[in-house]
Amino acid sequence: MRLCAWYLYGEKHRGYALNPVANFHLQNGSVLWRINWMGDTSPRGIGASCGMMVNYRYFLEETASNRALYLGSKQIRASEQVLALVSQFQQSSKL
């Protein structure tokens, strides 16, 4: 889960999220909200994402500012759960 959080939050292509689905939602003003362990246990889900599923949350009153933040300064809004996983990954990573 820590690696997944880092992949979605920290891995970038030209400053934007490397994952195309994450990039889509973030460009539309969402927040990287939750990572669900074994959220998709279908054969395709296991093969594509080791069963992990991600939730993006849209706060309508913040969508425009989140979008501007992401597109302008390439900053990703994320929940405390995701940020905690990113922090744990950074502490244990040799990157």
Side-chain angles (χ1 to χ4, degrees):
M1 293 212 14
R2 293 184 302 252
L3 181 60
C4 180
W6 176 254
Y7 168 67
L8 295 169
Y9 183 84
E11 290 298 320
K12 306 286 177 85
H13 175 70
R14 297 183 179 164
Y16 297 106
L18 180 63
N19 181 274
V21 174
N23 193 48
F24 169 81
H25 287 288
L26 295 167
Q27 284 183 11
N28 288 312
S30 73
V31 175
L32 180 54
W33 190 250
R34 184 173 52 214
I35 299 172
N36 304 291
W37 176 255
M38 300 307 283
D40 184 356
T41 58
S42 70
R44 181 176 178 191
I46 297 294
S49 62
C50 299
M52 287 190 231
M53 184 176 282
V54 180
N55 296 117
Y56 296 92
R57 189 164 179 187
Y58 289 85
F59 294 97
L60 295 182
E61 64 280 356
E62 298 174 10
T63 300
S65 61
N66 290 347
R67 175 181 164 80
L69 184 70
Y70 182 65
L71 294 175
S73 59
K74 300 173 182 162
Q75 294 180 27
I76 295 174
R77 291 273 331 271
S79 70
E80 290 298 319
Q81 185 237 22
V82 173
L83 294 175
L85 290 167
V86 167
S87 178
Q88 291 169 18
F89 172 81
Q90 289 174 318
Q91 291 172 5
S92 64
S93 174
K94 302 209 187 302
L95 292 178

